[in-house]
């Protein structure tokens, strides 16, 4: 595959920038997003443009295969690759939906208070899903239990009832770009904060919230 694809990324100074990717680079971006989403305890930034480009690329590959000669070994190989890409894509989307269902009030509150210009953690479709899920959950609680309770107990605080993502959990990561002076919080009160350097190519087990900004920037890859 030799096509190039346009992907619009966010640029903090100029608003947006156009990134040109080959199909192989696009799939690599998808796999990186999938791995990060799979191992991060919180819902990460939405990669909806990557998803859309991958879907378009799969449709393009399907059209090419229809025109290919039947019985060609390359057709079977390409179909296997397409199934692999579809699996990664569907697994990535399922993982995000599971997190939305698990942490929906906190995700919606974060979206509500998100500063202008900061990337959203929800795609437009995911935002609609999260809102509907929250509405249905509240309705279910009211119909099944709350309406049978005394008036002073007929409200539920979903922010307190639903657990938050555990940002103190530990994750494995591989460093893609060297990082200096990473502040690490102590595990015990009697210990002090300390600073570490992350060398390119090195692997670490570390508390997620320490390196969450590096995951967002792409400087490290969760594994």
């Amino acid at each position: 595959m030799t096509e190039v694809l346009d992907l619009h990324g966010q640029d903090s100074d100029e608003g947006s920038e156009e990134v040109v990717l080959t199909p192989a680079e696009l799939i690599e971006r998808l796999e990186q997003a999938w791995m990060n989403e799979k191992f991060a305890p919180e819902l990460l930034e939405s990669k909806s443009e990557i998803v859309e480009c991958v879907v378009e690329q799969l449709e393009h590959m399907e059209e090419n295969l229809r025109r290919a000669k039947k019985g060609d070994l390359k057709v079977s190989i390409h179909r296997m690759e397409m199934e692999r890409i579809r699996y990664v894509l569907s697994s990535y989307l399922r993982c995000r939906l599971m997190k939305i269902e698990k942490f929906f009030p906190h995700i919606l509150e974060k979206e509500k208070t998100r500063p202008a210009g900061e990337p959203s953690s929800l795609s437009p479709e995911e935002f609609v899903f999260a809102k509907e899920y929250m509405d249905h959950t509240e309705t279910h609680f009211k119909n099944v239990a709350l309406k049978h309770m005394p008036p002073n107990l007929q409200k539920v605080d979903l922010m307190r009832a639903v657990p938050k993502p555990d940002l103190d959990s530990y994750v494995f990561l591989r460093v893609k770009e060297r990082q200096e002076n990473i502040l690490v919080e102590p595990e015990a009160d009697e210990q002090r904060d300390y600073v570490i350097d992350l060398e390119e190519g090195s692997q670490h087990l570390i508390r997620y919230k320490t390196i969450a900004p590096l995951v967002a920037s792409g400087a490290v890859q969760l594994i």
Side-chain angles (χ1 to χ4, degrees), residues 53-69:
C53 285
V54 169
V55 170
E56 291 177 2
Q57 184 62 22
L58 286 171
E59 292 173 351
H60 181 65
M61 292 172 67
E62 189 68 50
E63 290 176 3
N64 288 341
L65 290 182
R66 290 197 200 100
R67 294 194 295 265
K69 294 180 180 179

Side-chain angles (χ1 to χ4, degrees), residues 95-146:
C95 182
R96 290 183 59 81
L97 288 178
M98 288 173 63
K99 287 183 181 180
I100 292 172
E101 291 177 350
K102 189 174 182 179
F103 305 121
F104 63 94
H106 307 288
I107 291 172
L108 287 171
E109 181 63 22
K110 180 180 178 182
E111 185 68 15
K112 182 180 177 181
T113 59
R114 175 173 58 90
E118 182 177 301
S120 174
S121 58
L122 293 170
S123 69
E125 296 80 8
E126 289 170 339
F127 179 76
V128 171
F129 173 80
K131 286 285 292 181
E132 290 181 348
Y133 190 86
M134 186 168 185
D135 292 342
H136 293 163
T137 300
E138 291 177 333
T139 301
H140 178 73
F141 282 165
K142 289 177 182 177
N143 293 337
V144 172
L146 295 180

Side-chain angles (χ1 to χ4, degrees), residues 2-223:
T2 59
E3 305 98 324
V4 293
L5 305 168
D6 291 338
L7 187 67
H8 295 280
Q10 295 297 319
D11 185 277
S12 58
D13 296 324
E14 299 176 10
S16 66
E17 60 178 353
E18 188 174 274
V19 180
V20 179
L21 302 175
T22 66
E25 291 170 336
L26 176 65
I27 300 308
E28 183 180 2
R29 290 279 188 98
L30 173 64
E31 291 174 343
Q32 290 172 356
W34 172 51
M35 293 290 285
N36 283 339
E37 197 68 64
K38 187 176 181 179
F39 295 118
E42 64 174 344
L43 186 72
L44 300 180
E45 175 189 345
S46 171
K47 303 294 184 182
S48 56
E49 289 189 343
I50 290 178
V51 170
E52 291 171 4
C53 285
V54 169
V55 170
E56 291 177 2
Q57 184 62 22
L58 286 171
E59 292 173 351
H60 181 65
M61 292 172 67
E62 189 68 50
E63 290 176 3
N64 288 341
L65 290 182
R66 290 197 200 100
R67 294 194 295 265
K69 294 180 180 179
K70 293 183 179 180
D72 191 338
L73 179 60
K74 292 181 180 180
V75 173
S76 299
I77 295 174
H78 280 296
R79 286 205 178 278
M80 289 175 61
E81 177 63 8
M82 288 175 62
E83 291 304 314
R84 186 188 73 84
I85 295 171
R86 287 195 178 102
Y87 169 80
V88 172
L89 180 60
S90 60
S91 178
Y92 169 71
L93 296 175
R94 279 199 308 270
C95 182
R96 290 183 59 81
L97 288 178
M98 288 173 63
K99 287 183 181 180
I100 292 172
E101 291 177 350
K102 189 174 182 179
F103 305 121
F104 63 94
H106 307 288
I107 291 172
L108 287 171
E109 181 63 22
K110 180 180 178 182
E111 185 68 15
K112 182 180 177 181
T113 59
R114 175 173 58 90
E118 182 177 301
S120 174
S121 58
L122 293 170
S123 69
E125 296 80 8
E126 289 170 339
F127 179 76
V128 171
F129 173 80
K131 286 285 292 181
E132 290 181 348
Y133 190 86
M134 186 168 185
D135 292 342
H136 293 163
T137 300
E138 291 177 333
T139 301
H140 178 73
F141 282 165
K142 289 177 182 177
N143 293 337
V144 172
L146 295 180
K147 70 178 182 180
H148 304 293
M149 305 284 283
N152 62 322
L153 297 177
Q154 288 187 0
K155 290 185 179 181
V156 60
D157 185 355
L158 291 176
M159 292 291 289
R160 297 179 61 183
V162 176
K164 294 181 179 180
D166 184 9
L167 304 185
D168 285 319
S169 61
Y170 282 75
V171 294
F172 282 101
L173 64 89
R174 181 174 60 252
V175 182
K176 298 171 63 179
E177 301 172 5
R178 188 176 189 275
Q179 302 294 314
E180 297 180 348
N181 301 324
I182 303 301
L183 182 65
V184 179
E185 295 181 359
E187 297 185 19
D189 294 337
E190 62 272 13
Q191 297 176 332
R192 294 183 177 181
D193 295 352
Y194 59 95
V195 172
I196 62 173
D197 293 339
L198 303 178
E199 300 296 335
E200 182 179 349
S202 61
Q203 297 184 14
H204 304 267
L205 174 62
I206 195 168
R207 192 177 294 173
Y208 173 77
K209 70 178 181 181
T210 300
I211 50 83
L214 302 182
V215 174
S217 69
V220 303
Q221 172 74 54
L222 299 185
I223 56 176

